[in-house]
Amino acid sequence: MERILSLQDVRFTYTPDDPDGRHAVDGVSFDMHAGEWIAVVGHNGSGKSTLARLMIGLLFPQEGTVGLFGDTLTEDNLWEKRSQMGMVFQNPDNQFVGATVQDDVAFALENNGIPFEEMTLRVQNALKQVKMDTFLDHEPQHLSGGQKQRVAIAGALALRPRLLILDEATSMLDPQGREEVIRVILDLREKTGLSVISITHDLEEALLADRVVVMNGGRKFAEGTPQEVFLKGEALTELGLDLPFAMRLSALLGEQGIGTEPGTMTERKLVEQLWTLRSNR
Amino acid sequence: MDIALEQVGYTYAAGTPFQKQALHDVNVRIPSGSYTAIIGHTGSGKSTLLQHLNGLLKPTAGIVRIGDTQVTKETKGKQLKPIRRKVGIVFQFPEHQLFEENVLKDIMFGPLNFGVEEEEAKARALRWIERLGLPEGTAEKSPFDLSGGQMRRVAIAGVLAMEPDVLVLDEPTAGLDPAGRKEIMDLFYELHEQRDMTTILVTHSMEDAARYADHMIVMHDGMDVLQGPPGEVFADAERLAEWRLGVPRTVSFQRLYEEGAGLPPGPPALTEEQLAAYLAADLGKGGGAS
């Protein structure tokens, strides 16, 4: 399978002149294949945001390499590589430039010199993909948080990226907004095979990923399927992370003498076990 | 200090084409010493309501009573100052309001502004820096050299240093990681208990409302549609859904379980511990194969 992203022993410090300075990212390696969804989780200060900046070339590592679409990322190929990536950031209010929804989505296309007719088509398609195509002429400031983030995603999609990076894109949204955005991403992934890196501390969101990378103290603490990673249980809570609801509840039930299968991560699976327990009594 | 809104209405930009009525005949009472959660969908009027709690907005109709003080549309700005000393608001993303050259000065700003002596203001600032678990030496640092979570704590310390009787929290943990969220919410709860404060939490998190509050106000379309303890508010999921609100995860799981087990809906489990105890009780005395 095609390798979209490849980090090799990446180290980065914000204080390169200080020999005792802490490395915000300290020897991290992982690969990502086309069509994968990877969630990068970690508490505030774990190095996950720095990692995101390294992936998009906002920062360059002092040691190690960041490979994108088969080449090592350098200052020379940065713009070419970046044109193949879409990014959505945390704050929905900080990323609007257009006066209307469609102007906003068109902005980057215009910058890239896309002809007008194709631009209109792409804008409409992108907005359709995030289910915002009935809002073409709405003013961004009158949208809800979830709607704003969907428009921001459309802006990224209009550029036809090979990789979409979401940097805590749902963390400022209310529960409905978060659900809207996650549903859109799930849908996109299914229909377009888009590769997605989601930097998040929402563990329910991480559960939906193909693979989870857990960051702590600038290092990769764990990597694997959500199943493999969340089985570490307490080791994760000690890092300041949370566990999925079903796992927390299973642990509490265990204290009450009710055993459930280890690694039950979804509410559906847990409730089914409880129903079985009930009817076997 | 009781807070009450009586027939309060608020219209933005009255008399212009942009006129919008954000509050409509709101009647709510926030009992002294309560931990009150205000919930409502985006646009329900909860932010406008919040701004009436310390006189940032004056009602365009009706009366707001804050302790012995009354606020109506006639109230002069000057008369509102004592209220602002008693009611402290931690706004969403309060770290955006940090501005001083060092943390100490930033926290002292509020108390000094309300006439607290320099010495006392400094003592308070240092006390709150410690209480909020900020590392030693934070006082001398520029607030802009701190991490996001630390900046949030400094901003909160700035409000707490005014030692308000009523603390209003507008989504105080938005953007924090789970551990940071829990730490801050537990701290507010501890302060609430120890200092006999009235705490008002505006939140999207039904889980936080269920866990911490003893009283709730539900806003919808600029009106107060329901008030009561969380156990009552979360008992009726269907009605909440009409207001585009959900129930805490614990309650939705409980209902799912009850439905499959053929049980009538029990009193809503407000915390995960309560839910586990409820399930254990049901499984323990479930009795015989069904």
Side-chain angles (χ1 to χ4, degrees):
Chain A
M1 236 193 291
E2 189 198 355
R3 224 188 284 169
I4 289 266
L5 175 78
S6 171
L7 269 66
Q8 269 169 15
D9 211 13
V10 170
R11 296 185 88 207
F12 179 83
T13 173
Y14 287 98
T15 50
D17 301 330
D18 177 0
D20 305 322
R22 203 177 75 88
H23 279 78
V25 170
D26 197 358
V28 173
S29 307
F30 70 89
D31 288 339
M32 175 179 192
H33 299 285
E36 258 195 308
W37 180 346
I38 295 188
V40 179
V41 303
H43 60 82
N44 292 348
S46 62
K48 63 185 193 310
S49 296
T50 306
L51 201 61
R53 289 182 197 140
L54 289 162
M55 288 174 195
I56 60 182
L58 279 175
L59 299 172
F60 282 91
Q62 280 108 1
E63 289 170 52
T65 56
V66 175
L68 272 167
F69 317 115
D71 302 307
T72 298
L73 187 65
T74 63
E75 309 229 11
D76 293 328
N77 64 16
L78 173 63
W79 292 100
E80 185 248 319
K81 296 297 172 196
R82 222 185 249 171
S83 70
Q84 303 178 57
M85 291 187 272
M87 284 161 259
V88 179
F89 298 99
Q90 181 179 35
N91 191 335
D93 293 317
N94 287 353
Q95 34 196 333
F96 274 103
V97 284
T100 66
V101 164
Q102 61 176 337
D103 283 0
D104 197 80
V105 176
F107 178 76
L109 296 177
E110 235 169 352
N111 272 353
N112 282 314
I114 309 283
F116 182 79
E117 278 183 14
E118 187 184 344
M119 190 164 79
T120 331
L121 207 68
R122 282 208 202 178
V123 168
Q124 282 173 3
N125 275 336
L127 284 168
K128 205 174 276 170
Q129 285 180 298
V130 300
K131 300 178 179 67
M132 287 294 291
D133 49 322
T134 54
F135 289 82
L136 289 180
D137 293 313
H138 284 238
E139 294 174 30
Q141 65 265 34
H142 292 144
L143 303 177
S144 72
Q147 290 172 332
K148 284 180 190 167
Q149 285 303 63
R150 278 149 66 199
V151 173
I153 292 172
L157 289 177
L159 291 164
R160 310 241 165 108
R162 298 166 71 188
L163 171 62
L164 182 65
I165 299 183
L166 307 166
D167 189 1
E168 298 195 27
T170 60
S171 73
M172 284 175 74
L173 304 178
D174 60 28
Q176 287 95 337
R178 194 172 303 157
E179 213 183 293
E180 280 169 29
V181 169
I182 290 175
R183 221 180 298 134
V184 158
I185 298 165
L186 276 173
D187 189 54
L188 279 173
R189 202 165 132 260
E190 195 174 306
K191 288 186 184 144
T192 65
L194 189 65
S195 312
V196 180
I197 292 187
S198 159
I199 290 152
T200 181
H201 33 236
D202 181 349
L203 292 196
E204 309 290 336
E205 190 180 322
L207 268 184
L208 303 169
D210 298 315
R211 205 139 52 94
V212 180
V213 173
V214 183
M215 291 292 294
N216 185 48
R219 291 170 191 267
K220 189 170 76 177
F221 176 81
E223 180 184 359
T225 62
Q227 192 80 17
E228 287 161 359
V229 165
F230 288 122
L231 269 178
K232 296 189 184 295
E234 254 172 50
L236 296 178
T237 47
E238 275 164 23
L239 299 187
L241 290 169
D242 210 350
L243 292 175
F245 173 79
M247 287 188 76
R248 292 199 306 266
L249 185 57
S250 297
L252 288 169
L253 287 169
E255 287 168 21
Q256 304 264 359
I258 297 168
T260 49
E261 284 166 35
T264 304
M265 293 187 194
T266 66
E267 291 169 41
R268 190 75 217 173
K269 289 203 173 118
L270 181 58
V271 82
E272 279 166 4
Q273 290 176 39
L274 294 177
W275 288 334
T276 310
L277 280 176
R278 190 170 198 276
S279 59
N280 288 344
R281 244 161 216 283
Chain B
M1 200 166 67
D2 278 0
I3 296 182
L5 277 72
E6 292 165 15
Q7 293 166 356
V8 164
Y10 187 81
T11 308
Y12 283 102
T16 76
F18 303 105
Q19 174 166 330
K20 186 177 179 286
Q21 185 153 17
L23 293 180
H24 187 82
D25 191 23
V26 171
N27 293 280
V28 299
R29 200 175 146 257
I30 297 168
S32 186
S34 71
Y35 194 130
T36 298
I38 302 178
I39 62 170
H41 194 263
T42 308
S44 61
K46 57 186 195 307
S47 299
T48 309
L49 175 63
L50 173 142
Q51 293 177 68
H52 281 80
L53 300 178
N54 82 341
L56 278 178
L57 291 178
K58 291 182 284 183
T60 50
I63 305 171
V64 178
R65 292 183 203 280
I66 302 166
D68 306 330
T69 319
Q70 280 190 25
V71 183
T72 64
K73 64 179 173 195
E74 276 89 26
T75 307
K76 298 270 182 299
K78 229 169 118 185
Q79 295 165 272
L80 297 172
K81 203 167 172 184
I83 298 175
R84 300 213 174 116
R85 185 171 3 191
K86 288 183 187 149
V87 183
I89 301 190
V90 176
F91 283 101
Q92 250 182 76
F93 299 97
E95 61 273 20
H96 294 171
Q97 297 165 43
L98 297 173
F99 69 101
E100 274 285 10
E101 59 184 285
N102 67 44
V103 167
L104 186 70
K105 282 189 179 174
D106 209 296
I107 300 176
M108 285 170 68
F109 179 81
L112 288 176
N113 202 23
F114 285 122
V116 174
E117 296 289 320
E118 177 110 19
E119 285 280 294
E120 166 67 10
K122 190 175 170 187
R124 283 191 194 178
L126 292 171
R127 205 158 59 227
W128 285 109
I129 287 174
E130 202 196 325
R131 188 74 173 77
L132 282 161
L134 288 157
E136 245 189 81
T138 304
E140 291 77 37
K141 281 194 180 162
S142 159
F144 305 103
D145 288 341
L146 304 176
S147 74
Q150 289 172 338
M151 284 168 80
R152 176 78 50 97
R153 281 159 204 263
V154 169
I156 290 170
V159 175
L160 290 170
M162 290 188 267
E163 306 196 334
D165 299 331
V166 179
L167 184 62
V168 183
L169 307 165
D170 186 6
E171 294 282 357
T173 62
L176 297 183
D177 61 23
R181 232 158 29 215
K182 185 166 184 310
E183 258 174 56
I184 295 227
M185 289 311 291
D186 285 348
L187 172 79
F188 286 133
Y189 191 69
E190 233 178 87
L191 291 171
H192 174 79
E193 298 274 282
Q194 286 169 1
R195 302 177 61 89
D196 202 19
M197 251 179 349
T198 306
T199 306
I200 301 166
L201 172 70
V202 178
T203 186
H204 284 298
S205 164
M206 300 303 141
E207 286 75 20
D208 282 350
R211 175 172 282 274
Y212 297 105
D214 49 40
H215 183 65
M216 289 183 68
I217 296 171
V218 184
M219 295 293 296
H220 179 68
D221 269 354
M223 287 178 280
D224 56 295
V225 286
L226 185 63
Q227 295 179 58
E232 275 173 32
V233 170
F234 290 128
D236 195 347
E238 266 173 46
R239 210 146 55 120
L240 286 170
E242 279 171 33
W243 302 317
R244 299 174 69 195
L245 292 169
V247 293
R249 261 210 142 91
T250 48
V251 181
S252 56
F253 189 88
Q254 181 187 357
R255 297 297 181 239
L256 180 66
Y257 174 79
E258 288 165 343
E259 209 175 294
L263 289 166
L270 299 177
T271 62
E272 288 168 12
E273 293 78 9
Q274 278 179 25
L275 175 60
Y278 169 83
L279 293 169
D282 182 61
L283 288 168
K285 58 178 184 187
S290 49

